[in-house]
Amino acid sequence: MTDLFHVARGLALCCASRFADVAASSLFWSAQKVFFRAGPLMPSDLFASPSLREAVSYVTVAALPGGYEALSTPLGQEWVETLRIPPTLSVEIRDRTAQCKLPSRRAAPGIVALIWTTPHGERHVARHVADSQETGGQVAQSLASQLEGAVVTEDRLSVSGGSLSAIVGGYGRSSCLVRRQSQIFRVSLWTTACETRLMLGDLLVSRLLPRDWLALPDGRQAQVFFEGEDVQDAMQTQSLFRRDVRVRVIFDRYDSVWSPQMVAGGGWIHLNGASFPFDTAPDQLRDEIPVEALDALAAAQEMPPAYRIWETDCDGTVRLLPQSV
Protein backbone atom coordinates (compact mmCIF):
# COMPACT_ATOMS: atom_id res chain seq x y z
CA MET A 1 0.00 0.00 0.00
CA THR A 2 1.31 3.45 -0.92
CA ASP A 3 2.07 5.50 2.20
CA LEU A 4 3.97 8.66 3.13
CA PHE A 5 7.35 6.94 3.01
CA HIS A 6 6.69 5.60 -0.50
CA VAL A 7 5.89 9.13 -1.68
CA ALA A 8 8.97 10.60 0.05
CA ARG A 9 11.08 7.81 -1.43
CA GLY A 10 9.60 8.54 -4.85
CA LEU A 11 10.55 12.22 -4.56
CA ALA A 12 14.09 11.33 -3.44
CA LEU A 13 14.54 8.76 -6.24
CA CYS A 14 13.14 11.18 -8.82
CA CYS A 15 15.56 13.94 -7.76
CA ALA A 16 18.53 11.55 -7.60
CA SER A 17 17.89 10.03 -11.03
CA ARG A 18 17.40 13.45 -12.62
CA PHE A 19 20.52 14.83 -10.94
CA ALA A 20 22.49 11.88 -12.34
CA ASP A 21 21.26 12.80 -15.84
CA VAL A 22 22.32 16.42 -15.31
CA ALA A 23 25.72 15.41 -13.93
CA ALA A 24 26.33 13.07 -16.88
CA SER A 25 26.43 16.07 -19.24
CA SER A 26 28.02 18.67 -16.94
CA LEU A 27 31.57 18.67 -15.61
CA PHE A 28 30.58 21.11 -12.88
CA TRP A 29 27.70 19.05 -11.48
CA SER A 30 29.55 15.75 -11.89
CA ALA A 31 32.15 17.11 -9.45
CA GLN A 32 29.54 17.93 -6.79
CA LYS A 33 28.77 15.50 -4.00
CA VAL A 34 25.02 15.50 -3.36
CA PHE A 35 23.09 12.95 -1.29
CA PHE A 36 19.32 12.53 -1.59
CA ARG A 37 17.33 11.11 1.30
CA ALA A 38 13.74 10.16 2.05
CA GLY A 39 14.02 11.33 5.63
CA PRO A 40 15.44 14.10 7.82
CA LEU A 41 18.99 15.39 8.22
CA MET A 42 20.75 13.50 11.00
CA PRO A 43 23.56 14.49 13.42
CA SER A 44 25.94 12.10 11.65
CA ASP A 45 25.52 14.19 8.48
CA LEU A 46 27.25 17.03 10.32
CA PHE A 47 30.10 15.20 12.01
CA ALA A 48 30.66 11.77 10.45
CA SER A 49 32.17 11.04 7.04
CA PRO A 50 30.93 11.88 4.50
CA SER A 51 29.39 14.99 6.03
CA LEU A 52 28.41 18.56 5.30
CA ARG A 53 31.79 19.62 6.69
CA GLU A 54 33.43 17.82 3.75
CA ALA A 55 31.74 19.85 0.98
CA VAL A 56 28.86 17.39 0.72
CA SER A 57 25.33 18.66 0.15
CA TYR A 58 22.12 16.93 1.23
CA VAL A 59 18.60 17.05 -0.15
CA THR A 60 16.10 15.63 2.34
CA VAL A 61 12.40 14.87 1.87
CA ALA A 62 9.94 14.77 4.77
CA ALA A 63 6.19 15.11 5.24
CA LEU A 64 5.24 18.46 6.75
CA PRO A 65 3.27 18.17 10.02
CA GLY A 66 -0.22 19.51 9.55
CA GLY A 67 0.01 19.18 5.78
CA TYR A 68 -2.54 16.36 5.49
CA GLU A 69 -5.91 16.74 3.79
CA ALA A 70 -8.45 14.01 3.10
CA LEU A 71 -9.95 14.02 -0.41
CA SER A 72 -13.08 12.36 -1.73
CA THR A 73 -12.72 9.17 -3.76
CA PRO A 74 -14.78 8.09 -6.78
CA LEU A 75 -18.02 6.28 -6.06
CA GLY A 76 -18.34 2.57 -6.64
CA GLN A 77 -14.93 1.39 -5.46
CA GLU A 78 -14.25 -1.98 -7.02
CA TRP A 79 -11.59 -4.66 -6.89
CA VAL A 80 -9.66 -4.70 -10.16
CA GLU A 81 -6.96 -7.11 -11.31
CA THR A 82 -3.78 -5.03 -11.60
CA LEU A 83 -1.03 -7.60 -12.15
CA ARG A 84 -0.48 -11.22 -13.16
CA ILE A 85 2.60 -13.26 -12.32
CA PRO A 86 2.76 -16.10 -14.88
CA PRO A 87 4.20 -19.48 -13.86
CA THR A 88 7.71 -20.57 -14.75
CA LEU A 89 6.84 -24.14 -13.82
CA SER A 90 5.86 -26.30 -16.79
CA VAL A 91 4.60 -29.86 -17.25
CA GLU A 92 5.08 -31.79 -20.49
CA ILE A 93 2.76 -34.75 -21.12
CA ARG A 94 3.79 -37.68 -23.33
CA ASP A 95 1.51 -40.72 -23.38
CA ARG A 96 1.13 -41.64 -19.71
CA THR A 97 4.18 -39.72 -18.48
CA ALA A 98 4.35 -36.16 -17.12
CA GLN A 99 7.69 -34.36 -16.97
CA CYS A 100 7.93 -31.46 -14.49
CA LYS A 101 10.33 -28.65 -15.34
CA LEU A 102 11.54 -25.70 -13.28
CA PRO A 103 13.91 -23.83 -15.62
CA SER A 104 14.64 -20.99 -13.21
CA ARG A 105 14.92 -20.30 -9.49
CA ARG A 106 12.41 -17.47 -9.61
CA ALA A 107 10.33 -17.05 -6.48
CA ALA A 108 6.74 -18.29 -6.68
CA PRO A 109 7.18 -20.61 -9.73
CA GLY A 110 3.50 -21.48 -9.88
CA ILE A 111 0.84 -24.08 -9.13
CA VAL A 112 0.26 -27.38 -10.97
CA ALA A 113 -2.69 -29.73 -11.06
CA LEU A 114 -2.26 -33.19 -12.60
CA ILE A 115 -5.40 -35.04 -13.68
CA TRP A 116 -5.24 -38.79 -14.11
CA THR A 117 -8.18 -40.42 -15.91
CA THR A 118 -8.01 -44.15 -15.28
CA PRO A 119 -8.99 -46.78 -17.90
CA HIS A 120 -12.32 -47.10 -16.02
CA GLY A 121 -13.06 -43.39 -16.45
CA GLU A 122 -12.32 -42.36 -12.88
CA ARG A 123 -10.60 -39.00 -12.43
CA HIS A 124 -7.97 -38.36 -9.76
CA VAL A 125 -6.48 -34.90 -9.20
CA ALA A 126 -3.16 -34.06 -7.56
CA ARG A 127 -1.94 -30.52 -7.01
CA HIS A 128 1.22 -28.86 -5.80
CA VAL A 129 2.32 -25.30 -5.02
CA ALA A 130 5.97 -25.03 -6.09
CA ASP A 131 8.59 -22.87 -4.41
CA SER A 132 11.92 -21.51 -5.61
CA GLN A 133 14.01 -24.14 -3.78
CA GLU A 134 12.39 -27.16 -5.40
CA THR A 135 13.45 -29.20 -8.40
CA GLY A 136 11.30 -30.81 -11.05
CA GLY A 137 11.89 -34.16 -9.37
CA GLN A 138 10.54 -32.89 -6.05
CA VAL A 139 7.43 -31.54 -7.74
CA ALA A 140 6.90 -34.92 -9.44
CA GLN A 141 7.35 -36.71 -6.10
CA SER A 142 4.75 -34.48 -4.43
CA LEU A 143 2.23 -35.14 -7.19
CA ALA A 144 2.91 -38.89 -7.20
CA SER A 145 2.28 -39.10 -3.45
CA GLN A 146 -1.31 -38.03 -4.16
CA LEU A 147 -1.90 -40.57 -6.98
CA GLU A 148 -1.92 -44.19 -5.89
CA GLY A 149 0.21 -46.31 -8.21
CA ALA A 150 2.12 -43.44 -9.80
CA VAL A 151 5.86 -44.02 -10.33
CA VAL A 152 8.54 -41.31 -10.37
CA THR A 153 11.83 -41.47 -12.27
CA GLU A 154 13.89 -38.28 -11.78
CA ASP A 155 11.51 -35.50 -12.90
CA ARG A 156 9.05 -37.82 -14.70
CA LEU A 157 5.81 -39.20 -13.26
CA SER A 158 4.22 -42.22 -14.94
CA VAL A 159 0.94 -44.09 -14.51
CA SER A 160 0.10 -47.61 -15.66
CA GLY A 161 -2.98 -46.85 -17.75
CA GLY A 162 -5.47 -44.23 -18.78
CA SER A 163 -4.37 -40.70 -19.61
CA LEU A 164 -2.77 -37.68 -17.97
CA SER A 165 -3.43 -33.97 -18.37
CA ALA A 166 -2.01 -30.99 -16.53
CA ILE A 167 -3.00 -27.43 -15.69
CA VAL A 168 -0.32 -24.93 -14.62
CA GLY A 169 -1.25 -21.58 -13.12
CA GLY A 170 0.32 -18.45 -11.68
CA TYR A 171 -0.94 -15.70 -9.41
CA GLY A 172 -2.99 -12.54 -9.79
CA ARG A 173 -3.13 -9.38 -7.72
CA SER A 174 -6.36 -7.46 -7.21
CA SER A 175 -6.41 -3.90 -5.87
CA CYS A 176 -9.05 -1.56 -4.53
CA LEU A 177 -8.82 2.19 -3.93
CA VAL A 178 -9.41 2.82 -0.21
CA ARG A 179 -8.27 6.42 0.33
CA ARG A 180 -7.22 9.55 -1.54
CA GLN A 181 -5.22 12.17 0.29
CA SER A 182 -3.16 15.29 -0.10
CA GLN A 183 0.07 15.85 1.82
CA ILE A 184 2.61 18.68 1.81
CA PHE A 185 6.24 17.55 1.68
CA ARG A 186 9.22 19.71 2.52
CA VAL A 187 12.24 19.18 0.31
CA SER A 188 15.24 20.76 2.04
CA LEU A 189 18.65 21.54 0.59
CA TRP A 190 21.53 21.61 3.10
CA THR A 191 25.00 22.88 2.22
CA THR A 192 27.97 24.68 3.76
CA ALA A 193 28.43 26.99 0.74
CA CYS A 194 26.02 29.83 0.11
CA GLU A 195 26.74 29.78 -3.63
CA THR A 196 25.85 26.07 -3.74
CA ARG A 197 22.54 26.85 -2.07
CA LEU A 198 21.73 29.28 -4.86
CA MET A 199 22.79 27.08 -7.79
CA LEU A 200 21.63 23.71 -6.47
CA GLY A 201 18.43 25.25 -5.15
CA ASP A 202 17.57 26.63 -8.58
CA LEU A 203 18.43 23.27 -10.16
CA LEU A 204 16.23 21.51 -7.62
CA VAL A 205 13.21 23.63 -8.49
CA SER A 206 13.73 23.87 -12.23
CA ARG A 207 14.92 20.36 -13.18
CA LEU A 208 15.01 17.84 -10.35
CA LEU A 209 11.54 18.01 -8.82
CA PRO A 210 8.61 16.83 -10.94
CA ARG A 211 6.37 19.59 -12.25
CA ASP A 212 3.05 17.78 -12.59
CA TRP A 213 3.28 14.00 -12.04
CA LEU A 214 5.53 11.92 -9.84
CA ALA A 215 6.34 8.29 -10.67
CA LEU A 216 6.14 6.29 -7.45
CA PRO A 217 8.33 3.24 -6.75
CA ASP A 218 5.30 0.93 -6.98
CA GLY A 219 4.58 2.05 -10.56
CA ARG A 220 1.65 4.31 -9.67
CA GLN A 221 1.47 8.06 -10.26
CA ALA A 222 0.95 10.95 -7.86
CA GLN A 223 0.02 14.53 -8.74
CA VAL A 224 2.42 17.26 -7.62
CA PHE A 225 1.74 20.97 -7.00
CA PHE A 226 4.44 23.55 -6.19
CA GLU A 227 3.61 25.33 -2.91
CA GLY A 228 6.55 27.75 -2.60
CA GLU A 229 10.07 27.95 -1.20
CA ASP A 230 11.99 29.61 1.63
CA VAL A 231 15.58 30.47 2.44
CA GLN A 232 16.44 29.42 6.00
CA ASP A 233 19.31 31.41 7.51
CA ALA A 234 19.04 30.42 11.17
CA MET A 235 22.21 28.29 11.02
CA GLN A 236 24.45 30.62 9.03
CA THR A 237 26.54 31.15 12.17
CA GLN A 238 27.54 27.49 11.81
CA SER A 239 28.24 27.94 8.08
CA LEU A 240 25.19 25.84 7.26
CA PHE A 241 22.88 27.12 4.54
CA ARG A 242 19.41 25.75 3.88
CA ARG A 243 16.69 26.15 1.31
CA ASP A 244 13.21 24.64 1.63
CA VAL A 245 10.83 23.81 -1.19
CA ARG A 246 7.26 22.78 -0.43
CA VAL A 247 5.27 20.55 -2.74
CA ARG A 248 1.75 19.22 -2.29
CA VAL A 249 1.34 15.61 -3.43
CA ILE A 250 -2.03 13.99 -4.09
CA PHE A 251 -1.86 10.20 -4.02
CA ASP A 252 -4.07 7.16 -3.54
CA ARG A 253 -3.85 4.35 -1.07
CA TYR A 254 -4.79 0.88 -2.32
CA ASP A 255 -5.53 -2.38 -0.60
CA SER A 256 -4.26 -5.42 -2.51
CA VAL A 257 -4.68 -9.18 -2.27
CA TRP A 258 -2.96 -12.06 -4.10
CA SER A 259 -4.97 -14.98 -5.43
CA PRO A 260 -3.83 -18.21 -7.09
CA GLN A 261 -5.07 -19.12 -10.53
CA MET A 262 -7.68 -21.86 -10.23
CA VAL A 263 -6.18 -25.19 -11.28
CA ALA A 264 -8.33 -27.61 -9.26
CA GLY A 265 -11.94 -27.38 -8.12
CA GLY A 266 -13.32 -27.99 -4.70
CA GLY A 267 -15.76 -26.76 -2.11
CA TRP A 268 -17.92 -27.67 0.85
CA ILE A 269 -20.87 -30.03 1.17
CA HIS A 270 -23.34 -29.01 3.88
CA LEU A 271 -25.28 -31.99 5.16
CA ASN A 272 -27.28 -32.34 8.38
CA GLY A 273 -25.68 -29.26 9.89
CA ALA A 274 -22.12 -30.42 9.14
CA SER A 275 -19.67 -29.27 6.45
CA PHE A 276 -17.51 -31.68 4.48
CA PRO A 277 -14.77 -30.51 2.09
CA PHE A 278 -14.30 -32.19 -1.27
CA ASP A 279 -11.21 -31.99 -3.48
CA THR A 280 -9.49 -28.68 -2.61
CA ALA A 281 -11.27 -26.94 0.27
CA PRO A 282 -11.98 -23.21 -0.19
CA ASP A 283 -9.12 -20.93 0.91
CA GLN A 284 -6.76 -23.88 1.34
CA LEU A 285 -4.60 -22.66 -1.52
CA ARG A 286 -4.67 -19.12 -0.17
CA ASP A 287 -2.78 -20.19 2.94
CA GLU A 288 0.02 -21.46 0.69
CA ILE A 289 0.45 -18.25 -1.34
CA PRO A 290 4.05 -16.92 -1.08
CA VAL A 291 2.92 -13.33 -0.51
CA GLU A 292 6.37 -11.90 0.28
CA ALA A 293 7.91 -13.45 -2.83
CA LEU A 294 5.06 -12.17 -5.00
CA ASP A 295 5.37 -8.67 -3.53
CA ALA A 296 9.10 -8.69 -4.35
CA LEU A 297 8.43 -9.83 -7.92
CA ALA A 298 5.78 -7.13 -8.34
CA ALA A 299 8.09 -4.45 -6.93
CA ALA A 300 10.87 -5.37 -9.35
CA GLN A 301 8.47 -5.44 -12.28
CA GLU A 302 6.61 -2.21 -11.51
CA MET A 303 9.57 -0.08 -10.44
CA PRO A 304 9.96 2.79 -12.96
CA PRO A 305 13.01 2.19 -15.22
CA ALA A 306 14.73 5.39 -14.04
CA TYR A 307 14.73 4.09 -10.44
CA ARG A 308 15.99 0.56 -11.05
CA ILE A 309 19.70 1.34 -10.65
CA TRP A 310 19.07 2.91 -7.23
CA GLU A 311 18.31 1.66 -3.74
CA THR A 312 17.51 3.32 -0.42
CA ASP A 313 19.32 2.22 2.73
CA CYS A 314 17.86 1.96 6.24
CA ASP A 315 17.87 5.73 6.80
CA GLY A 316 16.33 6.49 3.39
CA THR A 317 19.50 7.66 1.64
CA VAL A 318 19.48 6.98 -2.09
CA ARG A 319 22.50 5.04 -3.37
CA LEU A 320 23.48 3.32 -6.59
CA LEU A 321 23.04 -0.43 -6.59
CA PRO A 322 26.42 -2.22 -6.30
CA GLN A 323 26.32 -3.58 -9.86
CA SER A 324 25.64 -0.04 -11.13
CA VAL A 325 28.69 1.53 -9.49
Side-chain angles (χ1 to χ4, degrees), residues 124-174:
H124 302 277
V125 179
R127 66 168 183 86
H128 180 73
V129 180
D131 64 51
S132 59
Q133 305 302 317
E134 288 184 310
T135 64
Q138 290 172 314
V139 174
Q141 286 283 359
S142 175
L143 294 171
S145 66
Q146 304 171 55
L147 300 174
E148 186 176 355
V151 178
V152 174
T153 304
E154 296 181 347
D155 59 354
R156 292 175 173 84
L157 180 152
S158 301
V159 293
S160 57
S163 62
L164 289 174
S165 61
I167 302 174
V168 179
Y171 301 90
R173 185 190 64 194
S174 299

Side-chain angles (χ1 to χ4, degrees), residues 165-188:
S165 61
I167 302 174
V168 179
Y171 301 90
R173 185 190 64 194
S174 299
S175 301
C176 179
L177 174 64
V178 295
R179 187 183 307 160
R180 178 166 292 169
Q181 68 185 71
S182 170
Q183 175 69 47
I184 297 178
F185 287 83
R186 180 170 55 207
V187 183
S188 300

Side-chain angles (χ1 to χ4, degrees), residues 10 43-44 47 127 158 263 311:
S44 59
F47 307 109
R127 66 168 183 86
S158 301
V263 296
E311 64 177 355

Side-chain angles (χ1 to χ4, degrees), residues 89 91 111-115 123 126 165-169 261-264:
L89 168 68
V91 179
I111 309 160
V112 58
L114 194 65
I115 301 97
R123 298 176 78 247
S165 61
I167 302 174
V168 179
Q261 183 178 342
M262 185 173 178
V263 296

Side-chain angles (χ1 to χ4, degrees), residues 86-90 101-104 106-110 168:
T88 56
L89 168 68
S90 65
K101 297 180 180 180
L102 279 167
S104 71
R106 193 200 74 181
V168 179

